[in-house]
Amino acid sequence: MIRDYSYHPVTRTLEHVDFVQVKLDQPVDVDVPLFALGKAVGLTQGGLVRIVYRTVPVRCLRTASR
């Protein structure tokens, strides 16, 4: 699983990736990013959208893929 990565500041090419080993019998804690798509109906009526959370914490067991 990817823990962190970095890009070159000028060329924006991928420079480095840090991986973490995931064990199948231990839960994994990750932050899943949330993305707002579309336009809320309230915005067209003069309202405001306030995004409180940009990620959701998730804890789960990894399953073996085939």
Side-chain angles (χ1 to χ4, degrees):
M1 186 168 71
I2 296 174
R3 177 181 301 204
D4 195 22
Y5 54 91
S6 63
Y7 291 102
H8 188 275
V10 176
T11 63
R12 302 303 298 161
T13 58
L14 185 64
E15 279 191 331
H16 180 79
V17 178
D18 289 331
F19 292 96
V20 62
Q21 182 178 2
V22 177
K23 297 183 179 181
L24 296 178
D25 60 343
Q26 294 179 355
V28 176
D29 294 323
V30 295
D31 289 328
V32 178
L34 297 176
F35 298 101
L37 300 176
K39 191 171 186 179
V41 174
L43 280 176
T44 60
Q45 299 173 358
L48 298 173
V49 173
R50 188 173 127 192
I51 299 174
V52 178
Y53 297 105
R54 300 206 182 269
T55 62
V56 175
V58 175
R59 175 178 288 162
C60 60
L61 286 174
R62 161 97 168 64
T63 59
S65 60
R66 294 180 179 194

mmCIF file of all heavy atoms in Angstrom, residues 4 8 17 20-21 25 36-37 45-46 56 61-62 64-65:
data_model
loop_
_atom_site.group_PDB
_atom_site.id
_atom_site.type_symbol
_atom_site.label_atom_id
_atom_site.label_comp_id
_atom_site.label_asym_id
_atom_site.label_seq_id
_atom_site.Cartn_x
_atom_site.Cartn_y
_atom_site.Cartn_z
ATOM 1 N N ASP A 4 3.280 7.319 0.997
ATOM 2 C CA ASP A 4 3.583 8.687 0.604
ATOM 3 C C ASP A 4 4.273 8.682 -0.757
ATOM 4 O O ASP A 4 4.834 7.664 -1.163
ATOM 5 C CB ASP A 4 4.494 9.345 1.641
ATOM 6 C CG ASP A 4 4.563 10.848 1.485
ATOM 7 O OD1 ASP A 4 3.641 11.437 0.901
ATOM 8 O OD2 ASP A 4 5.560 11.429 1.953
ATOM 9 N N HIS A 8 8.782 15.829 -8.633
ATOM 10 C CA HIS A 8 9.822 16.829 -8.877
ATOM 11 C C HIS A 8 9.136 18.191 -8.940
ATOM 12 O O HIS A 8 8.096 18.340 -9.597
ATOM 13 C CB HIS A 8 10.554 16.513 -10.183
ATOM 14 C CG HIS A 8 11.739 17.370 -10.411
ATOM 15 N ND1 HIS A 8 11.642 18.614 -10.986
ATOM 16 C CD2 HIS A 8 13.041 17.166 -10.133
ATOM 17 C CE1 HIS A 8 12.833 19.152 -11.059
ATOM 18 N NE2 HIS A 8 13.707 18.280 -10.545
ATOM 19 N N VAL A 17 8.352 6.940 -4.078
ATOM 20 C CA VAL A 17 7.143 6.360 -3.500
ATOM 21 C C VAL A 17 7.543 5.545 -2.281
ATOM 22 O O VAL A 17 8.479 4.749 -2.339
ATOM 23 C CB VAL A 17 6.409 5.448 -4.517
ATOM 24 C CG1 VAL A 17 5.188 4.822 -3.881
ATOM 25 C CG2 VAL A 17 6.030 6.222 -5.753
ATOM 26 N N VAL A 20 4.115 0.568 2.358
ATOM 27 C CA VAL A 20 3.998 -0.048 3.673
ATOM 28 C C VAL A 20 3.464 -1.466 3.472
ATOM 29 O O VAL A 20 2.604 -1.699 2.623
ATOM 30 C CB VAL A 20 3.092 0.779 4.616
ATOM 31 C CG1 VAL A 20 1.687 0.894 4.098
ATOM 32 C CG2 VAL A 20 3.109 0.214 6.010
ATOM 33 N N GLN A 21 3.998 -2.408 4.227
ATOM 34 C CA GLN A 21 3.557 -3.800 4.120
ATOM 35 C C GLN A 21 2.244 -3.975 4.877
ATOM 36 O O GLN A 21 2.113 -3.516 6.012
ATOM 37 C CB GLN A 21 4.615 -4.736 4.703
ATOM 38 C CG GLN A 21 4.258 -6.193 4.578
ATOM 39 C CD GLN A 21 5.361 -7.100 5.126
ATOM 40 O OE1 GLN A 21 6.366 -6.625 5.634
ATOM 41 N NE2 GLN A 21 5.156 -8.372 5.017
ATOM 42 N N ASP A 25 -4.076 -10.390 8.321
ATOM 43 C CA ASP A 25 -4.818 -10.662 9.554
ATOM 44 C C ASP A 25 -4.906 -9.457 10.487
ATOM 45 O O ASP A 25 -5.456 -9.557 11.573
ATOM 46 C CB ASP A 25 -4.195 -11.843 10.294
ATOM 47 C CG ASP A 25 -2.742 -11.595 10.676
ATOM 48 O OD1 ASP A 25 -2.137 -10.675 10.098
ATOM 49 O OD2 ASP A 25 -2.228 -12.328 11.531
ATOM 50 N N ALA A 36 -16.680 16.276 -3.852
ATOM 51 C CA ALA A 36 -18.029 16.750 -4.156
ATOM 52 C C ALA A 36 -18.153 16.891 -5.667
ATOM 53 O O ALA A 36 -17.365 17.583 -6.299
ATOM 54 C CB ALA A 36 -18.289 18.084 -3.474
ATOM 55 N N LEU A 37 -19.156 16.223 -6.224
ATOM 56 C CA LEU A 37 -19.393 16.283 -7.670
ATOM 57 C C LEU A 37 -20.717 16.981 -7.939
ATOM 58 O O LEU A 37 -21.669 16.858 -7.180
ATOM 59 C CB LEU A 37 -19.429 14.870 -8.262
ATOM 60 C CG LEU A 37 -18.169 14.035 -8.104
ATOM 61 C CD1 LEU A 37 -18.398 12.638 -8.658
ATOM 62 C CD2 LEU A 37 -17.013 14.702 -8.806
ATOM 63 N N GLN A 45 -30.168 28.484 -5.542
ATOM 64 C CA GLN A 45 -31.165 29.302 -4.851
ATOM 65 C C GLN A 45 -30.525 30.302 -3.891
ATOM 66 O O GLN A 45 -31.193 30.861 -3.042
ATOM 67 C CB GLN A 45 -32.136 28.398 -4.097
ATOM 68 C CG GLN A 45 -32.896 27.470 -5.007
ATOM 69 C CD GLN A 45 -33.738 26.463 -4.248
ATOM 70 O OE1 GLN A 45 -33.730 26.434 -3.031
ATOM 71 N NE2 GLN A 45 -34.453 25.631 -4.986
ATOM 72 N N GLY A 46 -29.183 30.476 -4.011
ATOM 73 C CA GLY A 46 -28.501 31.487 -3.201
ATOM 74 C C GLY A 46 -27.843 30.956 -1.945
ATOM 75 O O GLY A 46 -27.333 31.733 -1.146
ATOM 76 N N VAL A 56 -12.551 10.592 5.149
ATOM 77 C CA VAL A 56 -13.274 9.762 6.108
ATOM 78 C C VAL A 56 -12.321 8.667 6.575
ATOM 79 O O VAL A 56 -11.743 7.961 5.750
ATOM 80 C CB VAL A 56 -14.521 9.117 5.456
ATOM 81 C CG1 VAL A 56 -15.194 8.154 6.408
ATOM 82 C CG2 VAL A 56 -15.488 10.167 4.997
ATOM 83 N N LEU A 61 -10.096 -4.942 7.266
ATOM 84 C CA LEU A 61 -9.146 -6.001 6.998
ATOM 85 C C LEU A 61 -8.921 -6.085 5.495
ATOM 86 O O LEU A 61 -9.843 -5.947 4.708
ATOM 87 C CB LEU A 61 -9.665 -7.347 7.497
ATOM 88 C CG LEU A 61 -9.646 -7.549 9.011
ATOM 89 C CD1 LEU A 61 -10.316 -8.864 9.363
ATOM 90 C CD2 LEU A 61 -8.231 -7.523 9.546
ATOM 91 N N ARG A 62 -7.712 -6.301 5.118
ATOM 92 C CA ARG A 62 -7.347 -6.469 3.708
ATOM 93 C C ARG A 62 -7.746 -7.861 3.272
ATOM 94 O O ARG A 62 -7.548 -8.819 3.999
ATOM 95 C CB ARG A 62 -5.834 -6.254 3.562
ATOM 96 C CG ARG A 62 -5.249 -6.815 2.300
ATOM 97 C CD ARG A 62 -5.088 -5.835 1.242
ATOM 98 N NE ARG A 62 -4.300 -6.219 0.119
ATOM 99 C CZ ARG A 62 -4.555 -7.189 -0.744
ATOM 100 N NH1 ARG A 62 -5.544 -8.011 -0.550
ATOM 101 N NH2 ARG A 62 -3.810 -7.366 -1.806
ATOM 102 N N ALA A 64 -7.400 -10.919 0.323
ATOM 103 C CA ALA A 64 -6.487 -11.361 -0.740
ATOM 104 C C ALA A 64 -7.173 -11.251 -2.089
ATOM 105 O O ALA A 64 -8.312 -11.673 -2.254
ATOM 106 C CB ALA A 64 -6.044 -12.795 -0.486
ATOM 107 N N SER A 65 -6.511 -10.652 -3.057
ATOM 108 C CA SER A 65 -7.075 -10.558 -4.389
ATOM 109 C C SER A 65 -6.533 -11.683 -5.253
ATOM 110 O O SER A 65 -5.457 -12.211 -5.010
ATOM 111 C CB SER A 65 -6.737 -9.194 -5.007
ATOM 112 O OG SER A 65 -5.362 -9.051 -5.083
#
